[in-house]
Every structure is written in C-alpha cells, then in structure tokens.
Amino acid sequence: MLKGSNTPVPAAALRVELGWRTGPGVPDADASALLLISGKVRSDADFVFYNQPAHSSGAIRHEGKRNADGRVTDTLLVDLARVEPAIETVVLAASADSGTFGQVPDLYIEVQDAQGTPVARFDNPGATTETAFVLGEFYRRQGAWKFRAVGQGYSSGLEGLATDYGITVDEPQQAAPAAAPTPPPLTQPAAPPPPATPSATPPAPVRLTKVTLTKASPSVSLTKQGGTSGALHVNLNWEVRKQFSGWSSKFGRPAALHSDLDLDLCALYELTDGSKGVVQALGHAFGALHQPPYIHLDGDDRTGAVAAGENLTVNLDHKNAFRRILVFVTIYEGARSFADLHATVTLQPQHGAPIDFSLDECTIPSPVCALALITNTGGDLVVQREARYLVPERGVSPQRTVDHAYGWGMNWTPGRK
C-alpha cells in the first residue's frame, strides 16, 4: 500500500504484525495500539503496549515478539467485532528502543486474517531520525472497517506519540520550585481558607520504562522497580534457526532436527520455611498459585508453534515466602542441544517494568539452560540473568544437573509427561 491509501478489512479477528530485519546496531522496536474517540483516548486504559498488554474490552492484545531467520516481528491481536461502538479509530504505532527508525531496515506493518492471509501491508519508506511512527490505523466508514496506511513519524518517541493522543505518561520528578518571597504582613487578619473538598485520587500515569538484562548489566531489583506484588509472568519463546537434531559424536556439526521440538520451562524453588521443590510439566508438577509454592506453570507447549510459548506465574503477594527461585529450560525431545535455537525470556511484573533478555549463542552440546535466578535478600527481590548452558554427565538428568550446579540438594526420581 502507498502512504495515505486505504482498503477494507474484515470486522473480525485480525493479526497485526510489525516486522523488521535485525542485525548488529539495529535497535529493538515495539508495537502498540490506541483506541480513539475524536482523536483522543478516553483514558490511559485505551493504550495497549508492552506494559499494558490487553484492552479491557478484549478487542486488542499485545502478543509479543518472535525472532526467526534474522527477522523480528512484534504482534497485536485485534478483534474488530469486539471494539466498543463509541471507538472510531484504532491507531497502530511503533516505537524504537535506544535508536531511531533510520537504523531499522525493512520496517513494515501487515494485517492478516484469521487464516494468516495478508489483507493489507504497508512498507514504511524514508525513516531517518524518527523514534516513533503511526504506521496505520483501523477506522469505521459507513458501518464497515477500513485500514489506512499512515506513516506519520515522531522524534519524541513513544512518550511524545502517546501524549499527543491524551495519554498521561509517568515522568521523572522535577526539582521543587524556588520558594516565593515572603509577603509583607497583613494589616488585618486574613479570612480562613475554605474547607477542602475531597477529590478522587487521579489514576496512576502510564509507565513506558522496560529493562533489558545483558552480560554488562545482568541484574535488576524488582523492589526498586515497584514490582513486588501481584503476578510475575515468566514467558519463554523460541525459534529454530535451521534444521538439526543434535551433535555428531565429536560435537563437530549438527544433523537434522526433528519437527517435534519440545522445550520445557521449569523452576526450582526454595521457601523461607526450608521446603524445596520443582515446578515443571514432567511428572505433572504444575505447582499452585495461591498456596505453596505460589508458582504455577500455565501449560506445556509441546511443539514450539504456540505463539504464547511457555509461561510460569509467580505470586509476588507471597514474596516473603520465597528464599530463591531458579527458572530454567530443558529440551524434552526433538534436539540434543540449544545450538541454533534462539530463545527470548520476558519477566512481566503486574506492577513495574517488563524485564527481558535473549539467550547467548550455545556452542556446547547442552540440553539444559539456567535462565534467571530470583533471590529474596532482606526483603529485596533481585532478578539475576543467568543464561548458563549446562552439560549433564552420562546418565544424569538435566534437572539433577541444574540442582547440582546451584546447590539445591534435592532427591530426584524418573518422571514422565
């Protein structure tokens, strides 16, 4: 599509894909959506993005990123049939993280129907110093929905774009203004001030911050981020770079990969009462959210094809019960090593900034990787990026290998799904 052109779209479930080509020096980008009436949101709840991933109507949900073959996509799921009648426009935007869109090659937005067939696509041309873009929008016309290619750039980033549409953005505290000079004394007593009238507490502003853990900056305090209550969601997503099944006997080169690759997200836990255990699909040890261990595995993605990947939820309302939690991943079947598998991990506190990191390139025949260690030290919850590949000794399970590496000291027995 050309900039400014439009096309009809079905008023049903759609997939909106923001995509670009990645590489050295290419900044990350994020998709977002705003639901508008007369060009403005009704409230901050009409903003869907990485820190606020679903609209209350159920019409829009931020699905998240996928990385494959040097290309990254960030996806919004949109059900136009569920958009409230008062909403006139759904703006589809992109923001660059630590860079400009002039550094993001092959940027596009594509609208797909429920079968994955493209119904509209706009390749954005000529980006330079912009740090945010309105790439497209859905709008109502005579009872039907259309998509318009927009391509409007912003140099003020996601914050500038959001505030343009009426979003209240959390800003750093400003220095207090200088005290006003003392007025001269009054010649007669001043009238008492009128009684204060109670007012509703204004809603908290939207927070745009997020945290990326790296080798140089491997840890973050959940306490300092304000993320010490509610649910902490841990998501694992992966992509296969190329087909292989494992390593040769000399670990020199990979062979062919099975189509049934199955990774399992797991967690070792130690509580302050001394109890220890594991949450994992193996042995159907899915845990529990509202009773010990306050950790729950949402499901088991047996193929890697599920867009949501695998998810653990930690109930931070019981943070005082935790001593430490080690999140790790194992290969259940389909491969013998993490080589040529690209995995990303996101920790999303209910209150606070999301924390994400990618796993390093695996260069050893490792079927198990320690992802992140969450420790409670003096009431401060700290997330430490591990990204540590381990190689079990012959006859030793991946779980026992992780246990030994981190000194959990548990007894292990064989288990099955």
Side-chain angles (χ1 to χ4, degrees), residues 204-230:
V206 169
R207 299 182 63 179
L208 301 182
T209 54
K210 61 179 180 178
V211 178
T212 300
L213 299 182
T214 63
K215 287 182 179 178
S217 180
S219 64
V220 64
S221 167
L222 286 176
T223 305
K224 293 179 181 178
Q225 293 288 325
T228 56
S229 64

Side-chain angles (χ1 to χ4, degrees), residues 77 162 195 358 360:
L77 300 181
S358 297
D360 297 323

Side-chain angles (χ1 to χ4, degrees), residues 364-378:
I364 58 176
S366 168
V368 56
C369 179
L371 300 177
L373 181 65
I374 304 172
T375 55
N376 187 348
T377 306

